[in-house]
Amino acid sequence: MRKVKGIIFIVVGLALVLFAGLIVYNNYLESSSAGEASEVDLASVLAQMPDVVLDADYEGDMPVVDVDGRSYIGIVEIPSLGLILPIQNEWSSENARVSVCRYQGSVYDNDLIVAGHNYVEHFGNLNQLTTGDEVIVTDMNGRSFYYQVSNIETLGSYDVDEMESGDWDLTLFTCTVGGASRVTIRCEYTGVATSIGTVPDIQEAVENSKHVRQ
């Protein structure tokens, strides 16, 4: 009887290891696919940006462009993580499989919140950011808004009020593995670049970011 129980335990253990391996492999495939999808859409978003920064009033809705049926308001760049990602106009779990999304707010109102899945190619490494790191959001007029990481916190997955509270100029967040909580990055506005942020500059940054991730 003991021998039979031992065999059962071994089989169950192997099954659990195999199941865990399949989950890891599936997550890897999803992350890789998400990275490829966001890179394709990033190229299309950049193609619709002006070659030079356009003068515009910082009020009202952010300009939106269409890419294969999805709407984008610009891009977010996190140099220390080697990330440059297009920002979709509206959050949904399905949209987030392609790229990060606006959860709510606007750079013009200093209350933008951007959410993304915890894919490594998206926001999976937000927990590696430190106070003082730079974050740049560029709108579809080609104007870049600069921020600095000021606070890093972990919120419960259902703490919606806490996520939306506080006088933060920019918030980035993603779920932890398993979805029990959210890594939340709070940023303060440091300035608007009027002479940089053109398409050639951003394209160069995209190439540099690939080397950082490698």
Side-chain angles (χ1 to χ4, degrees), residues 32-42 70 72 86 97-99 122:
S32 179
S33 176
E36 292 174 0
S38 62
E39 196 165 299
V40 169
D41 280 11
L42 174 62
R70 290 182 290 271
Y72 287 88
R97 291 179 181 274
V98 176
S99 189
H122 287 180

Side-chain angles (χ1 to χ4, degrees), residues 9-59:
F9 286 142
I10 291 174
V11 171
V12 171
L14 290 174
L16 291 175
V17 170
L18 178 60
F19 181 68
L22 288 174
I23 291 176
V24 171
Y25 181 64
N26 182 68
N27 288 342
Y28 168 78
L29 291 179
E30 282 194 12
S31 178
S32 179
S33 176
E36 292 174 0
S38 62
E39 196 165 299
V40 169
D41 280 11
L42 174 62
S44 296
V45 169
L46 291 176
Q48 296 187 61
M49 280 187 177
D51 290 333
V52 295
V53 176
L54 297 180
D55 290 329
D57 295 329
Y58 302 137
E59 58 184 21

